[in-house]
Structure formats: structure tokens, C-alpha cells
Amino acid sequence: MKIAAAQMTCVPADVRANAARAAALAATAREQGAALVVFPEFTLTGYELDALAADPGLWTAADDPRLDPLRAAGIATAVNVALPGDGPRPAIATLVHDADGAHVTTYRKQHLFRHEQDVFEPGTADGRFELLGVRFSLGVCYDNHFPGLPGRGAADGCRVHLASSLYGTGDGIRERATVYPGIAERSGLYVVLANHVGPAGPWTGCGRSAVWAPGGALLAEADDRTPSVVTAPVGPAL
């Protein structure tokens, strides 16, 4: 099967506009033969923490009708959102839907980065799902700096690690280029990184969404300036 990593420039705090942008990228991924497309952190709002803290209307549940364009794209999707919870704070969560639009799983980010701790509730469980016979693990940005998370996925029979992230210019360029091939090398997983490109809250996303093979070899990589998708095949476990 083929998997796609999407990179996009979000409209700040506009769920419907970003759902439409993501759906267009999902259609492109489907046309390129991908069975699943992964999107960056805060796909539907951009990295707008002040707006997300102030306006619960920007929080998105798995059955939110504003996700309909993505659920109708004819491809499985992993979309990261601010997810309402039982308490006053949302979680940073990746929602996975299959190609028919059915909800498959939700993963809540466990390792919150700095100021995220003031706004969001951390998750407490690892994310897993299976698609077309392939088992996946999930991580969100800073999660992936903790080797135990993808390591547990590999030990649990996962073949692919999906990472919805935001890495900016400056230090983010180095982190993006070291953390993710490092996961592939250490864990023996395929690693699929979806990143922002262009303005993203206080940062400028450095793009270069990519797919690495087990062992760390780069299979596909986007540029540093264009909203786009890149695809790569995922092989069976050896």
C-alpha cells in the first residue's frame, strides 16, 4: 500500500477553510494511489493556541460535520485537531477515519510542549489502528522526541509510525531531519511525517514532509515552500 504525507499552510482559526484545503490534498493523495494520508498538527486551525484556548467552537470531535469534506474524500485520513473532552480543556488529538468516512480511532498527544501544558489536557494511552492488514502507531510532534512511544509501537507489531507535527525554520529544520530518520533507524518502522509549510502561529513551518523506510533511508520528501503531498509504498514486515 501507499501512504501520503501532506503539508499545508493553514488559515488561522478557520476550521471549514482548512477542512477544504485538507480535502483537496487528500484527493491528490488518492489520485496518486495512496490509501492513507496524514496531516500536520492542528490541521483544522493552524497552531493558534490563544484562539483555541478562547473559543471552544474551534474544537473538533470525530463526528463534527465540518469534517465531512475529509470523510468524503475516498481515502483514509489522520487529521490532528483540538478535541473536546470531559473537562474544561481540550486534548491535542489525531482522528483517524477510513476511506468510507467511518471513525477508526482517536489518539491524544501525551507529551505536551511547553505552553501547550497551559491549554490542553495530555493523553494517557498509545494510539494504534490497522488498515489493509498494516498496523500503525501514532505520535504528535513532541511525542516523537520520546523514543519509548514509537518503540512500544514496534514491540506491539506496528509497521508504520504516523507523526502529525509542526517544525519551523531555525532549530526545527535540524530536529525534523534528525528525530524522524532516527525513529526509523532505532525502531525498524516506516515513519511518515506531516509538517506545516509557511506561517503557523508564532512559527514558519519548514515543510519537507517525508517518509522514511525502516533503517532510516529517505523514501520521499516534499519541498520547503509548497502545500503538497508526497507518497511512498509501505512493504510487509521481513
Side-chain angles (χ1 to χ4, degrees):
M1 65 184 293
K2 276 188 177 180
I3 299 178
Q7 61 186 35
M8 57 186 283
T9 306
C10 295
V11 181
D14 191 328
V15 172
R16 294 187 187 278
N18 291 315
R21 290 188 177 190
L25 291 169
T28 299
R30 186 192 69 237
E31 291 163 2
Q32 294 180 10
L36 168 71
V37 57
V38 186
F39 289 94
E41 189 173 22
F42 291 124
T43 309
L44 298 184
T45 58
Y47 197 88
E48 304 292 336
L49 298 198
D50 290 343
L52 287 165
D55 184 4
L58 298 175
W59 305 353
T60 312
D63 60 353
D64 193 307
R66 293 174 295 182
L67 281 169
D68 285 352
L70 277 158
R71 285 195 292 257
I75 182 175
T77 57
V79 176
N80 190 262
V81 303
L83 179 77
D86 296 330
R89 293 185 177 191
I92 303 173
T94 297
L95 306 174
V96 179
H97 290 83
D98 67 17
D100 295 323
H103 179 234
V104 175
T105 195
T106 297
Y107 168 71
R108 295 164 178 81
K109 184 176 183 179
Q110 298 177 69
H111 302 94
L112 301 179
F113 182 69
R114 295 181 183 173
H115 40 287
E116 293 171 359
Q117 298 174 32
D118 299 327
V119 180
F120 301 98
E121 192 70 25
T124 58
D126 292 344
R128 304 279 188 272
F129 70 98
E130 190 168 307
L131 179 69
L132 300 177
V134 177
R135 190 162 169 80
F136 294 82
S137 61
L138 293 158
V140 181
C141 206
Y142 194 45
D143 274 336
N144 301 299
H145 291 236
F146 294 81
L149 188 144
R152 290 191 298 272
D156 194 28
C158 294
R159 186 61 177 151
V160 185
H161 183 68
L162 306 180
S164 297
S165 300
L166 166 56
Y167 288 90
T169 54
D171 288 346
I173 294 174
R174 176 189 55 79
E175 291 180 348
R176 188 214 68 90
T178 56
V179 169
Y180 295 89
I183 293 172
E185 181 178 5
R186 288 189 305 271
S187 67
L189 297 171
Y190 287 89
V191 176
V192 185
L193 167 68
N195 193 23
H196 287 258
V197 63
W203 289 289
T204 299
C206 68
R208 299 204 179 279
S209 294
V211 183
W212 290 268
L218 181 65
L219 297 178
E221 184 178 57
D223 65 24
D224 61 356
R225 58 194 176 278
T226 310
S228 58
V229 299
V230 292
T231 64
V234 173
L238 299 177

